[in-house]
Amino acid sequence: MKKILALALALMMVFSLATTAFAAEDNDPNTFTITITAPANGSLTNHTYAVYQIFTGKLFVDNKGNEDTADDETILSDIVYGKNYGTEGEEVPETVLTTLAGMSGEAAAKKLNGEKKGDLFARLDASNSWTYENAPAGYYLIVDVSSNLPQGETSSAFVLELIDDAEITSKHTAGPVVEKKIKDINDSLANSTTEWQDSADHDIGDAIPFQLKMTVPANFADFKEYGEAYRFVFHDTEEPGLTFQQNSVKVFVDGSEITTGFEVVYPTDHKNDDDTFDVVFADLTKIGSVQVGSVITVEYASILNEKAILGSQGNVNTVYGEYSNLHRPDYPGRTPDDSVIAFTYKVVVNKVDEAGAALAGAEFTLEKFVKVLPEGKTATETVYAAEDNQTIVGYWIAVDQVETEPGTVFTFTGLDDGNYRLTESKTPDGYNTIDPIEFTVTADHDIKWETPRTEMLNSLNGNKATGEVRQITFTASDDKGTLTTDVINKAGTVLPETGGMGTTIFYAVGGVLVVAAVVLLVTKKRASSAK
C-alpha cells in the first residue's frame, strides 16, 4: 500500500496543473466537474477539447501519518485502466505507473496521446461552456482538437488528476508572428530607398523588393525537447499586377543567409492552393541556428507588370504562415494574413490649340530622370537641379512614345513618383514646336497599413519643376491614379522673305518717285526759261 501511495503521489505531482479546485456539490462524492477556462489575454473561441479517460480509482484520505503523503491528503488508490487506455477496469501494473511518474507532464501527455484508444470520454466546447459534470475520480488526458484553430494560436494537450472539481486554464499559446514588407524607391533622387514598410509606388517594369519575416515562438523549445518536427510554411499570394521572380529568393536566420533546410515551391510545381509560391521548412528543429526568438527572413523580388491596377486600389501581396502544433502534426495552425500594397500612376496629355480645341498631328516622348542608368539603356550623363537646390548627376531615359488616332490624347501608363520631361517629337503643321516641359510626380501613401485598402493613397500631384519655361497644370484623380493636363500649341507667324514680293513693291514705288522727280525738275527748268 505504501508503494502504491508513493506512485500515486508521484503521478499527482507530474500531472498537476495550475487549477482552482473547490468542493464537489453533487451527491456522489467520487464524481467531479471538469471546467476549462481561457488563458490570460486569450480566448476559447473556436477551441474544442477532447477528454480521454486514462485511469480511474478510489479516493483515499491519508491520515495515518505515512511519510509519502501529508495528513488528511486525498489521493487516488486502487488505480485501474479507464475507458481510453489499456483494458478498461484492469489493474494498472506498477511498471506503467513508474514509467509515467518519471516523465514530465508534456512528455506523459505525448505518450498517452499516442497510445489512447476508443471513442473519447467527453467533448468540451462552446455548446457546454467547456464544462463536463459527474466525471469519476481518475486521470484524464485533455487534448485541443480544434480542426480550424483561431489564427495565431497553438493547440495544447495535458493530463489532469481529478480528485475534486477542477477549473483548468487552457495551455494554448501564441503561435509564430509573421509579417510582410515592401521597399519604396524613387529613381530620380539620391538616397531615395526607404526602409521596409507596408506601401510603395513603382514604375511598370520595376523589380520590387519584398520581405517576409517570422519570429519563432516560445513553444518551439518543446518540439526540440520531445523530438517532434516543427514544420513552417510561408504562403505568399500576389495579385495579377505582380510577376514573381523565381531566382530572386534568399533566406536568412537572424540576418545570416542559409541555403539548406528549406524548399521554395514555385507555381509550376505541385500545388493544392492558389499561392504564388511557398517557402517550406520541413523541420526547423533541424536547422541548428534556429532558437526561440529567432527571426526567419525571406527576401525576393516581383516585377510590376502591364496588368497592374492604377491608383488607390493598388496591387496587393499577402502572406500567412502555417505552423505545427505540439503532438498534433495533422492539425497545423495558421497565422493571420499580412499584406503590402504597390501603387502606380499615369499621365494624360491633351493636345489643344490656343482656343482649347483638340489638335491632331503631334507626337510626344516622355523621359524620366534617373540617378542610375538601368541595364540595357544608353544615355548621356547630365546634371539635374532639384527644387531643394540639390544637384543630382544622372540620366534622361525614354519612358514611352505615343502616337494616337486622331492623335489628340496621349496617355503614359505605369509611372512612379519622380522627375519627368515631356518633349514634342512631332509638331502639327502650321504650329510652333513647344519647349520641353519638365514636371514632378509626387504621391503620399501611408507606410503602415491601418486603414481600408483604398484609403492608403492619400494624395497624388503633378508639379512644375524649377526653371520650367512653360506652365502646365495637372488635375489629379487619386482613385484612378491619373494626372491630366492640357498642352497648348500656338499657330506660326509668316514673315516677309528676302527677294519676295515685299521688295518688288518697294522697288516699283521707288521707280515711280524717281520718274516723278525728273518730270518735276524738267518742268521747272522750262518754266524758268520762258521767263
Side-chain angles (χ1 to χ4, degrees):
M1 182 65 180
K2 183 176 181 181
K3 190 174 295 184
I4 292 175
L5 289 176
L7 286 171
L9 180 62
L11 282 171
M12 181 178 65
M13 295 175 65
V14 168
F15 296 156
S16 63
L17 300 171
T19 65
T20 301
F22 46 90
E25 296 181 358
D26 55 55
N27 295 325
D28 186 347
N30 292 306
T31 61
F32 307 100
T33 298
I34 301 172
T35 301
I36 297 179
T37 61
N41 301 319
S43 170
L44 294 180
T45 302
N46 294 331
H47 281 269
T48 298
Y49 298 86
V51 179
Y52 298 93
Q53 188 184 69
I54 304 301
F55 304 132
T56 62
K58 296 179 181 179
L59 292 181
F60 176 79
V61 179
D62 179 25
N63 52 15
K64 303 298 184 180
N66 290 309
E67 62 184 43
D68 296 314
T69 61
D71 288 346
D72 300 324
E73 181 175 357
T74 300
I75 60 175
L76 196 67
S77 64
D78 298 332
I79 299 175
V80 298
Y81 286 114
K83 175 181 177 180
N84 304 115
Y85 196 65
T87 301
E88 186 174 4
E90 184 177 295
E91 183 179 352
V92 181
E94 183 179 325
T95 54
V96 173
L97 296 175
T98 301
T99 299
L100 290 171
M103 294 181 173
S104 67
E106 285 284 358
K110 177 184 177 182
K111 174 179 172 59
L112 296 174
N113 192 37
E115 298 175 359
K116 67 183 185 297
K117 65 174 188 175
D119 296 333
L120 53 84
F121 176 81
R123 182 180 297 274
L124 307 183
D125 55 25
S127 64
N128 51 33
S129 301
W130 297 278
T131 298
Y132 182 85
E133 298 179 347
N134 301 322
Y139 289 99
Y140 292 84
L141 172 69
I142 301 177
V143 181
D144 187 339
V145 292
S146 309
S147 59
N148 186 19
L149 282 168
Q151 290 186 0
E153 292 186 0
T154 65
S155 65
S156 57
F158 44 90
V159 179
L160 166 70
E161 182 198 43
L162 187 66
I163 58 174
D164 204 340
D165 288 352
E167 286 188 358
I168 308 157
T169 300
S170 177
K171 298 173 67 178
H172 65 263
T173 58
V177 176
V178 171
E179 63 180 7
K180 185 177 187 68
K181 298 297 178 184
I182 188 173
K183 278 191 176 182
D184 198 357
I185 303 171
N186 187 321
D187 301 317
S188 297
L189 303 178
N191 304 317
S192 63
T193 302
T194 66
E195 298 298 324
W196 293 109
Q197 55 192 43
D198 290 343
S199 68
D201 45 30
H202 284 272
D203 298 298
I204 286 179
D206 280 356
I208 304 175
F210 290 97
Q211 182 191 71
L212 314 176
K213 289 176 66 175
M214 183 275 274
T215 302
V216 178
N219 73 336
F220 178 71
D222 295 331
F223 286 82
K224 298 186 74 172
E225 179 180 352
Y226 305 128
E228 291 190 27
Y230 190 91
R231 185 174 187 271
F232 183 85
V233 182
F234 287 105
H235 293 270
D236 192 279
T237 304
E238 299 182 333
E239 291 187 338
L242 295 163
T243 302
F244 171 61
Q245 301 300 287
Q246 294 189 4
N247 296 325
S248 65
V249 177
K250 293 184 177 181
V251 178
F252 305 85
V253 175
D254 295 327
S256 297
E257 185 174 2
I258 61 172
T259 56
T260 60
F262 65 90
E263 176 189 10
V264 182
V265 180
Y266 297 114
T268 54
D269 297 332
H270 59 281
K271 298 294 291 290
N272 296 316
D273 51 41
D274 296 326
D275 297 351
T276 302
F277 72 100
D278 299 335
V279 181
V280 181
F281 298 86
D283 187 2
L284 281 176
T285 67
K286 302 298 184 183
I287 302 177
S289 57
V290 176
Q291 305 294 330
V292 172
S294 289
V295 177
I296 312 296
T297 305
V298 176
E299 295 182 3
Y300 68 95
S302 289
I303 302 294
L304 191 66
N305 62 47
E306 290 76 11
K307 296 180 181 179
I309 299 174
L310 304 178
S312 60
Q313 187 71 12
N315 302 272
V316 172
N317 191 326
T318 301
V319 70
Y320 73 88
E322 175 191 331
Y323 55 90
S324 293
N325 276 299
L326 194 64
H327 312 322
R328 301 186 68 209
D330 296 330
Y331 293 91
R334 171 179 171 145
T335 71
D337 292 352
D338 194 32
S339 300
V340 295
I341 188 168
F343 298 107
T344 193
Y345 320 109
K346 68 178 178 181
V347 168
V348 178
V349 175
N350 297 315
K351 188 64 173 176
V352 298
D353 61 18
E354 292 178 274
L359 180 61
E363 293 179 13
F364 284 99
T365 297
L366 183 66
E367 298 169 289
K368 184 176 184 179
F369 184 82
V370 297
K371 62 181 183 298
V372 177
L373 191 63
E375 185 177 352
K377 294 278 189 178
T378 57
T380 302
E381 188 175 80
T382 187
V383 175
Y384 184 87
E387 291 184 353
D388 58 359
N389 296 321
Q390 181 184 18
T391 299
I392 307 171
V393 176
Y395 308 85
W396 286 108
I397 60 171
V399 173
D400 202 357
Q401 182 168 340
V402 178
E403 287 183 58
T404 63
E405 294 293 342
T408 61
V409 179
F410 302 85
T411 302
F412 303 93
T413 301
L415 305 182
D416 188 6
D417 56 359
N419 301 321
Y420 294 88
R421 181 169 69 185
L422 184 68
T423 302
E424 191 173 49
S425 50
K426 181 179 178 181
T427 306
D429 294 338
Y431 289 82
N432 295 326
T433 302
I434 65 170
D435 294 327
I437 300 173
E438 294 180 4
F439 61 92
T440 302
V441 174
T442 59
D444 176 67
H445 39 84
D446 296 335
I447 63 173
K448 189 174 183 180
W449 197 322
E450 297 178 329
T451 64
R453 172 176 180 164
T454 55
E455 296 179 13
M456 289 285 288
L457 179 60
N458 300 315
S459 64
L460 175 64
N461 295 288
N463 304 313
K464 181 177 70 67
T466 301
E468 185 60 45
V469 176
R470 181 179 292 271
Q471 177 70 45
I472 58 173
T473 302
F474 285 99
T475 300
S477 169
D478 296 353
D479 179 43
K480 297 179 180 179
T482 302
L483 293 169
T484 304
T485 186
D486 291 342
V487 173
I488 302 171
N489 269 91
K490 295 182 179 181
T493 301
V494 179
L495 299 177
E497 298 181 46
T498 303
M501 187 62 184
T503 57
T504 301
I505 292 175
F506 289 117
Y507 292 147
V509 173
V512 170
L513 291 175
V514 170
V515 171
V518 171
V519 171
L520 180 61
L521 180 60
V522 170
T523 303
K524 284 185 177 181
K525 285 185 177 181
R526 288 180 178 177
S528 299
S529 300
K531 291 179 180 181

